[in-house]
Amino acid sequence: MSPNNYVLEKYATPLSSTEPLTLAQAKAYMNITSDSQDTLITELITEARQGVEKLTGLSLVPSTVVALIDNSDGDIELPLGPYVKEISIADKQGNNVNNYTLSGLQFKTLSDPRQDYLVCTYKAGYTRLAFENYPLLPEELYGCIKDQVSFLFENRGENGSSGYSAKVYRIVRKYTRNPLFI
């Protein structure tokens, strides 16, 4: 990938509200039997997943991704992978681009067209259970979500932390698509 190519903006919209980690799994991991904190733990599950996504540059749930990219030099990696299917590309005038070249396996690069301000829309992400053609979420990343939920739960409150556990940082390093930021 050329250093002159870059992602101007990106976002992912999950295809369902189902998280990879259930409330029951999170409570079992943290050894919590009371129901009094269920609402908080449910919120922390989403926050933990989104935090791991931010660190890795991956989509940990099946999502529709929209990315505005500058591919002037070609071969830019599509963000928030792994790429699954259904890409559409539009130029800055909003015209559909039908002649494009993707390469790679799970993490696709867009070789052509070589131009700026392309809007790419596609399906990407992992799944915890079999869902269409989405790849299974690696166990280590699933563990990161559990560890992060526990970290956020233990560090909540006035002096709480919104950071990440040291274990999460260690594990996400080998999965990150954002190597300059870890």
Side-chain angles (χ1 to χ4, degrees), residues 100-127:
Y100 59 84
T101 306
L102 289 178
S103 59
L105 298 173
Q106 286 189 348
F107 299 97
K108 301 286 188 184
T109 57
L110 179 64
S111 301
D112 293 302
R114 294 172 184 250
Q115 62 189 72
D116 60 357
Y117 298 102
L118 293 169
V119 177
C120 300
T121 305
Y122 51 95
K123 304 281 196 245
Y126 287 107
T127 185

Short mmCIF file of all heavy atoms in Angstrom, two decimals, residues 100-127:
data_model
loop_
_atom_site.label_atom_id
_atom_site.label_comp_id
_atom_site.label_asym_id
_atom_site.label_seq_id
_atom_site.Cartn_x
_atom_site.Cartn_y
_atom_site.Cartn_z
N TYR A 100 -13.38 -2.56 -11.30
CA TYR A 100 -12.45 -2.47 -10.18
C TYR A 100 -11.75 -3.81 -10.00
O TYR A 100 -12.22 -4.83 -10.50
CB TYR A 100 -13.18 -2.06 -8.89
CG TYR A 100 -14.28 -3.00 -8.47
CD1 TYR A 100 -14.01 -4.15 -7.72
CD2 TYR A 100 -15.61 -2.75 -8.81
CE1 TYR A 100 -15.01 -5.01 -7.34
CE2 TYR A 100 -16.62 -3.60 -8.43
CZ TYR A 100 -16.31 -4.73 -7.69
OH TYR A 100 -17.32 -5.58 -7.32
N THR A 101 -10.63 -3.77 -9.29
CA THR A 101 -9.86 -4.99 -9.05
C THR A 101 -9.60 -5.13 -7.57
O THR A 101 -9.00 -4.26 -6.94
CB THR A 101 -8.51 -4.95 -9.80
OG1 THR A 101 -8.75 -4.68 -11.17
CG2 THR A 101 -7.76 -6.25 -9.63
N LEU A 102 -10.08 -6.25 -6.99
CA LEU A 102 -9.81 -6.60 -5.59
C LEU A 102 -8.84 -7.76 -5.57
O LEU A 102 -8.92 -8.66 -6.41
CB LEU A 102 -11.08 -7.03 -4.87
CG LEU A 102 -12.13 -5.99 -4.56
CD1 LEU A 102 -13.33 -6.65 -3.89
CD2 LEU A 102 -11.57 -4.91 -3.67
N SER A 103 -7.92 -7.74 -4.61
CA SER A 103 -7.03 -8.89 -4.44
C SER A 103 -6.91 -9.19 -2.95
O SER A 103 -7.28 -8.38 -2.11
CB SER A 103 -5.66 -8.61 -5.06
OG SER A 103 -5.08 -7.47 -4.47
N GLY A 104 -6.38 -10.34 -2.65
CA GLY A 104 -6.24 -10.76 -1.26
C GLY A 104 -7.31 -11.78 -0.90
O GLY A 104 -8.22 -12.05 -1.67
N LEU A 105 -7.16 -12.33 0.30
CA LEU A 105 -8.12 -13.34 0.76
C LEU A 105 -9.17 -12.69 1.66
O LEU A 105 -10.17 -12.21 1.19
CB LEU A 105 -7.38 -14.48 1.47
CG LEU A 105 -6.39 -15.24 0.57
CD1 LEU A 105 -5.59 -16.24 1.37
CD2 LEU A 105 -7.13 -15.92 -0.57
N GLN A 106 -8.92 -12.64 2.98
CA GLN A 106 -9.89 -12.02 3.88
C GLN A 106 -9.74 -10.51 3.94
O GLN A 106 -10.70 -9.80 4.18
CB GLN A 106 -9.76 -12.60 5.29
CG GLN A 106 -10.29 -13.99 5.43
CD GLN A 106 -10.34 -14.44 6.87
OE1 GLN A 106 -9.77 -13.82 7.76
NE2 GLN A 106 -11.01 -15.54 7.11
N PHE A 107 -8.54 -10.03 3.76
CA PHE A 107 -8.28 -8.59 3.85
C PHE A 107 -7.96 -8.09 2.44
O PHE A 107 -6.83 -8.18 1.98
CB PHE A 107 -7.18 -8.30 4.86
CG PHE A 107 -7.57 -8.78 6.23
CD1 PHE A 107 -7.16 -10.01 6.70
CD2 PHE A 107 -8.42 -8.02 7.02
CE1 PHE A 107 -7.56 -10.47 7.94
CE2 PHE A 107 -8.83 -8.46 8.26
CZ PHE A 107 -8.40 -9.70 8.72
N LYS A 108 -8.99 -7.61 1.79
CA LYS A 108 -8.90 -7.24 0.37
C LYS A 108 -8.22 -5.89 0.18
O LYS A 108 -8.39 -4.97 0.98
CB LYS A 108 -10.29 -7.15 -0.24
CG LYS A 108 -11.10 -8.44 -0.18
CD LYS A 108 -10.60 -9.46 -1.15
CE LYS A 108 -11.55 -10.65 -1.19
NZ LYS A 108 -11.07 -11.70 -2.06
N THR A 109 -7.46 -5.81 -0.90
CA THR A 109 -6.91 -4.53 -1.33
C THR A 109 -7.58 -4.16 -2.65
O THR A 109 -7.89 -5.03 -3.47
CB THR A 109 -5.38 -4.58 -1.52
OG1 THR A 109 -5.05 -5.59 -2.46
CG2 THR A 109 -4.66 -4.84 -0.21
N LEU A 110 -7.82 -2.88 -2.80
CA LEU A 110 -8.42 -2.34 -4.01
C LEU A 110 -7.29 -1.82 -4.88
O LEU A 110 -6.65 -0.82 -4.55
CB LEU A 110 -9.41 -1.21 -3.66
CG LEU A 110 -10.11 -0.52 -4.82
CD1 LEU A 110 -11.01 -1.51 -5.57
CD2 LEU A 110 -10.91 0.67 -4.31
N SER A 111 -7.00 -2.55 -5.96
CA SER A 111 -5.91 -2.15 -6.87
C SER A 111 -6.36 -1.03 -7.79
O SER A 111 -5.67 -0.04 -7.97
CB SER A 111 -5.44 -3.34 -7.69
OG SER A 111 -5.00 -4.37 -6.85
N ASP A 112 -7.50 -1.21 -8.39
CA ASP A 112 -8.06 -0.23 -9.32
C ASP A 112 -9.53 -0.04 -9.00
O ASP A 112 -10.17 -0.98 -8.55
CB ASP A 112 -7.92 -0.73 -10.76
CG ASP A 112 -6.47 -0.80 -11.19
OD1 ASP A 112 -5.81 0.23 -11.15
OD2 ASP A 112 -6.03 -1.91 -11.57
N PRO A 113 -10.07 1.12 -9.22
CA PRO A 113 -9.50 2.28 -9.89
C PRO A 113 -8.56 3.06 -8.97
O PRO A 113 -8.70 3.05 -7.76
CB PRO A 113 -10.73 3.13 -10.24
CG PRO A 113 -11.71 2.79 -9.17
CD PRO A 113 -11.47 1.34 -8.82
N ARG A 114 -7.63 3.73 -9.61
CA ARG A 114 -6.66 4.57 -8.89
C ARG A 114 -7.15 6.00 -8.97
O ARG A 114 -6.83 6.73 -9.90
CB ARG A 114 -5.28 4.43 -9.52
CG ARG A 114 -4.71 3.04 -9.34
CD ARG A 114 -3.43 2.85 -10.13
NE ARG A 114 -2.98 1.49 -10.00
CZ ARG A 114 -1.90 1.13 -9.33
NH1 ARG A 114 -1.15 2.02 -8.76
NH2 ARG A 114 -1.57 -0.14 -9.24
N GLN A 115 -7.94 6.37 -7.98
CA GLN A 115 -8.45 7.73 -7.92
C GLN A 115 -8.82 8.07 -6.48
O GLN A 115 -8.90 7.19 -5.63
CB GLN A 115 -9.63 7.93 -8.87
CG GLN A 115 -10.85 7.08 -8.57
CD GLN A 115 -11.87 7.18 -9.67
OE1 GLN A 115 -11.68 6.64 -10.76
NE2 GLN A 115 -12.97 7.85 -9.40
N ASP A 116 -9.03 9.35 -6.25
CA ASP A 116 -9.38 9.79 -4.90
C ASP A 116 -10.89 9.84 -4.72
O ASP A 116 -11.65 9.74 -5.68
CB ASP A 116 -8.74 11.15 -4.59
CG ASP A 116 -9.21 12.24 -5.53
OD1 ASP A 116 -9.97 11.96 -6.47
OD2 ASP A 116 -8.80 13.40 -5.31
N TYR A 117 -11.31 9.96 -3.50
CA TYR A 117 -12.71 10.10 -3.10
C TYR A 117 -13.62 9.01 -3.67
O TYR A 117 -14.60 9.29 -4.35
CB TYR A 117 -13.24 11.49 -3.45
CG TYR A 117 -12.49 12.56 -2.71
CD1 TYR A 117 -11.51 13.31 -3.35
CD2 TYR A 117 -12.72 12.79 -1.36
CE1 TYR A 117 -10.78 14.28 -2.67
CE2 TYR A 117 -12.00 13.75 -0.67
CZ TYR A 117 -11.04 14.49 -1.33
OH TYR A 117 -10.33 15.43 -0.65
N LEU A 118 -13.27 7.79 -3.37
CA LEU A 118 -14.11 6.66 -3.71
C LEU A 118 -14.91 6.26 -2.47
O LEU A 118 -14.36 6.19 -1.37
CB LEU A 118 -13.27 5.46 -4.15
CG LEU A 118 -12.49 5.63 -5.45
CD1 LEU A 118 -11.50 4.48 -5.62
CD2 LEU A 118 -13.44 5.70 -6.63
N VAL A 119 -16.19 6.01 -2.64
CA VAL A 119 -17.01 5.51 -1.54
C VAL A 119 -17.23 4.02 -1.78
O VAL A 119 -17.84 3.63 -2.78
CB VAL A 119 -18.36 6.25 -1.46
CG1 VAL A 119 -19.23 5.65 -0.35
CG2 VAL A 119 -18.15 7.74 -1.24
N CYS A 120 -16.71 3.22 -0.86
CA CYS A 120 -16.84 1.77 -0.95
C CYS A 120 -17.81 1.29 0.12
O CYS A 120 -17.68 1.66 1.29
CB CYS A 120 -15.48 1.09 -0.72
SG CYS A 120 -14.23 1.58 -1.90
N THR A 121 -18.78 0.49 -0.29
CA THR A 121 -19.76 -0.07 0.64
C THR A 121 -19.71 -1.58 0.47
O THR A 121 -19.78 -2.08 -0.66
CB THR A 121 -21.17 0.46 0.32
OG1 THR A 121 -21.13 1.89 0.34
CG2 THR A 121 -22.19 -0.04 1.33
N TYR A 122 -19.60 -2.31 1.59
CA TYR A 122 -19.46 -3.76 1.51
C TYR A 122 -19.80 -4.40 2.85
O TYR A 122 -19.93 -3.72 3.87
CB TYR A 122 -18.04 -4.16 1.09
CG TYR A 122 -16.94 -3.50 1.91
CD1 TYR A 122 -16.39 -4.15 3.00
CD2 TYR A 122 -16.47 -2.24 1.59
CE1 TYR A 122 -15.39 -3.55 3.76
CE2 TYR A 122 -15.48 -1.63 2.34
CZ TYR A 122 -14.94 -2.30 3.42
OH TYR A 122 -13.96 -1.69 4.17
N LYS A 123 -19.93 -5.70 2.82
CA LYS A 123 -20.18 -6.48 4.03
C LYS A 123 -18.84 -7.01 4.53
O LYS A 123 -18.01 -7.48 3.75
CB LYS A 123 -21.10 -7.67 3.75
CG LYS A 123 -22.43 -7.30 3.13
CD LYS A 123 -23.39 -6.78 4.15
CE LYS A 123 -24.79 -6.78 3.60
NZ LYS A 123 -25.40 -5.53 3.42
N ALA A 124 -18.65 -6.93 5.85
CA ALA A 124 -17.39 -7.38 6.44
C ALA A 124 -17.65 -7.81 7.87
O ALA A 124 -18.71 -7.54 8.43
CB ALA A 124 -16.36 -6.25 6.41
N GLY A 125 -16.65 -8.46 8.45
CA GLY A 125 -16.73 -8.80 9.87
C GLY A 125 -16.58 -10.28 10.14
O GLY A 125 -16.49 -11.10 9.24
N TYR A 126 -16.54 -10.56 11.43
CA TYR A 126 -16.49 -11.94 11.93
C TYR A 126 -17.83 -12.30 12.54
O TYR A 126 -18.67 -11.45 12.78
CB TYR A 126 -15.43 -12.05 13.03
CG TYR A 126 -14.00 -12.00 12.56
CD1 TYR A 126 -13.22 -10.87 12.79
CD2 TYR A 126 -13.42 -13.08 11.90
CE1 TYR A 126 -11.90 -10.82 12.38
CE2 TYR A 126 -12.10 -13.03 11.49
CZ TYR A 126 -11.34 -11.90 11.73
OH TYR A 126 -10.05 -11.86 11.32
N THR A 127 -17.99 -13.57 12.83
CA THR A 127 -19.17 -14.05 13.54
C THR A 127 -18.71 -15.04 14.60
O THR A 127 -17.67 -15.68 14.45
CB THR A 127 -20.19 -14.68 12.59
OG1 THR A 127 -21.37 -15.02 13.31
CG2 THR A 127 -19.65 -15.92 11.91
#
